[in-house]
């Protein structure tokens, strides 16, 4: 199959457009997923930190060692007063 | 014409695949990334502790600030490392730094609670020693039509919180995130009386670990 000069330009144009579209979709996709993972109150299973598997067997072999119950997100101690106000039953 | 259509279809599939992979890659931060993110958040919002006025609290605040000033750039530099062995060392160090930062934050929140600042919560045991756990009680669920619903949660960590007027209260966080009162049985426990929270030995241990007091 022979590709004409015009046809070749079209291919290049479509390829460039495709790359731009890929970049745009990746940006939108990453923004969307980041928003989901950053929202501290929507993915809420905070009180389950107590039953998380321990991370460091050397330091955390005691199930009642409170020092080992570490969670990197949704920790009550990291919430703002406004967020705690919403959760607190007075 | 057929060639162009085929090419366009292939390009479209390629575009979708690339965007999907790219989006997935950005959604899965490592534990170290999350820990660093928390350290950065502490550093960025450091002014949140400015209400602390006790001498001991001020000292803890200063120590925390110095700690973050050193730990954050070190962690950022370290995580750029792609060498596997070096990276493992970074992850370990960052984990220790993260634990220390959480301890500092917890202690500073304790000083806020002691000063009567509203809507603050910390682990009642200060995450030191034996964990304090209890059942929560939800009166709304207990009075529902379902006879099997007792309104009691499973045993969970106890939190020391303050209400609107800075008044102390003990709470249990249920699976929806709500902070419930303790079950009637747990309210009667001596170790869960407000005057015994946080346990004195745990507080001493935490202050000593962070260098706020010398033992």
């Amino acid at each position: 199959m022979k590709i004409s000069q015009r046809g070749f330009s079209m291919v290049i144009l479509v390829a460039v457009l495709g790359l731009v579209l890929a970049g745009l979709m990746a940006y939108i996709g990453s923004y969307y997923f980041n928003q989901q993972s950053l929202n501290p109150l929507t993915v809420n299973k905070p009180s389950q930190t107590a039953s998380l598997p321990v991370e460091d067997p050397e330091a955390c072999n005691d199930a009642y060692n409170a020092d080992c119950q570490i969670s990197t997100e949704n920790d009550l101690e990291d919430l703002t007063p406004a967020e705690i106000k919403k959760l607190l039953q007075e | 014409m057929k060639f162009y259509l085929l090419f366009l279809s292939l390009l479209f599939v390629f575009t979708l695949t690339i965007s999907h992979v790219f989006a997935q890659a950005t959604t899965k931060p490592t534990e170290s990334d999350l820990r660093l993110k928390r350290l950065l958040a502490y550093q960025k919002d450091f002014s949140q502790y400015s209400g602390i006025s006790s001498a001991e609290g001020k000292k803890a605040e200063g120590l925390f600030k110095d700690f973050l000033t050193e730990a954050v750039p070190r962690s950022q530099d370290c995580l750029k490392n792609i060498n596997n062995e070096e990276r493992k060392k970074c992850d370990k160090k960052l984990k220790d730094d993260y634990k220390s930062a959480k301890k500092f934050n917890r202690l500073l929140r304790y000083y806020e609670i002691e000063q009567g600042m509203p809507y603050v919560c910390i682990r009642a045991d200060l995450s030191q020693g034996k964990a304090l756990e209890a059942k929560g009680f939800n009166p709304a669920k207990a009075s529902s039509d379902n006879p099997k619903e007792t309104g009691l949660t499973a045993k969970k960590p106890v939190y020391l919180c303050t209400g609107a007027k800075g008044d102390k209260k003990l709470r249990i966080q249920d699976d929806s995130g709500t902070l419930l009162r303790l079950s009637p049985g747990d309210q009667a426990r001596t170790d869960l009386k407000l005057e015994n929270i946080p346990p004195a030995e745990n507080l001493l241990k935490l202050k000593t670990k962070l260098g706020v007091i010398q033992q």
Side-chain angles (χ1 to χ4, degrees):
Chain A
M1 191 161 44
K2 200 176 175 184
I3 303 174
S4 67
Q5 177 79 33
R6 190 162 167 270
F8 185 73
S9 306
M10 283 295 287
V11 169
I12 296 293
L13 180 70
V14 169
V16 170
L17 280 175
L19 284 174
V20 170
L21 191 65
L24 189 69
M25 287 179 80
Y27 177 74
I28 293 170
S30 61
Y31 178 78
Y32 171 75
F33 283 107
N34 271 341
Q35 282 299 304
Q36 279 198 331
S37 63
L38 285 175
N39 189 340
L41 289 177
T42 49
V43 220
N44 231 337
K45 287 274 181 185
S47 51
Q48 290 192 354
T49 51
S51 58
L52 280 177
V54 291
E55 287 180 306
D56 185 352
E58 282 172 23
C60 298
N61 50 11
D62 177 4
Y64 287 95
N65 182 354
D67 201 25
C68 296
Q69 296 170 357
I70 276 186
S71 160
T72 45
E73 54 182 34
N74 296 325
D75 188 346
L76 264 183
E77 294 175 339
D78 293 327
L79 298 187
T80 63
E83 287 168 331
I84 290 176
K85 188 180 178 183
K86 276 188 210 165
L87 300 174
L88 190 73
Q89 277 197 352
E90 286 275 6
Chain B
M1 189 62 186
K2 274 182 189 169
F3 171 77
Y4 288 130
L5 283 176
L6 180 67
F7 184 78
L8 268 177
S9 310
L10 283 174
L11 198 66
F12 184 66
V13 171
F14 173 76
T15 305
L16 277 182
T17 311
I18 290 287
S19 60
H20 183 73
V21 169
F22 193 9
Q24 287 293 316
T26 55
T27 57
K28 288 183 180 169
T30 63
E31 282 272 280
S32 289
D33 291 335
L34 290 172
R35 289 182 173 128
L36 176 61
K37 194 172 135 189
R38 177 42 49 199
L39 293 185
L40 286 165
Y42 284 142
Q43 195 174 45
K44 188 179 163 220
D45 301 329
F46 204 80
S47 58
Q48 66 180 310
Y49 308 114
S50 59
I52 296 170
S53 57
S54 66
E56 214 176 73
K58 283 278 174 204
K59 184 179 177 188
E61 195 185 333
L63 288 170
F64 190 22
K65 195 169 196 172
D66 293 346
F67 168 80
L68 288 172
T69 306
E70 198 185 303
V72 167
R74 182 181 58 218
S75 307
Q76 283 172 322
D77 283 349
C78 202
L79 287 185
K80 288 175 191 160
N81 215 322
I82 50 167
N83 178 310
N84 244 357
E85 281 307 305
E86 290 298 312
R87 180 61 195 250
K88 272 183 194 167
K89 280 182 197 164
C90 292
D91 288 338
K92 170 86 176 65
K93 181 72 186 139
L94 187 48
K95 185 172 149 185
D96 292 340
D97 285 346
Y98 172 79
K99 282 185 176 182
S100 298
K102 297 292 279 188
K103 286 189 182 91
F104 269 118
N105 177 62
R106 188 173 300 124
L107 184 60
L108 291 174
R109 297 272 184 234
Y110 163 76
Y111 290 120
E112 288 180 346
I113 288 175
E114 285 304 304
Q115 271 183 229
M117 291 168 78
Y119 301 121
V120 183
C121 283
I122 53 171
R123 283 282 299 260
D125 50 28
L126 296 175
S127 284
Q128 300 296 310
K130 192 171 184 282
L132 279 175
E133 293 183 322
K135 290 180 180 178
F137 179 62
N138 189 339
K141 277 192 178 175
S143 58
S144 75
D145 293 337
N146 184 353
K148 285 183 181 171
E149 184 55 82
T150 60
L152 293 174
T153 68
K155 270 193 164 187
K156 288 172 182 293
V158 181
Y159 283 89
L160 171 64
C161 298
T162 51
K165 294 173 184 166
D167 46 321
K168 289 182 189 175
K169 40 190 89 196
L170 296 181
R171 290 290 182 265
I172 301 292
Q173 193 172 35
D174 72 7
D175 290 339
S176 73
T178 309
L179 290 163
L180 303 172
R181 292 184 180 83
L182 302 191
S183 69
D186 286 316
Q187 281 181 26
R189 280 167 52 184
T190 318
D191 61 337
L192 292 179
K193 293 287 169 206
L194 272 177
E195 59 269 26
N196 297 330
I197 300 291
E201 65 273 21
N202 293 13
L203 182 59
L204 186 69
K205 208 185 276 182
L206 184 62
K207 286 179 183 175
T208 311
K209 272 185 187 174
L210 297 174
V212 177
I213 57 168
Q214 311 295 326
Q215 210 182 19

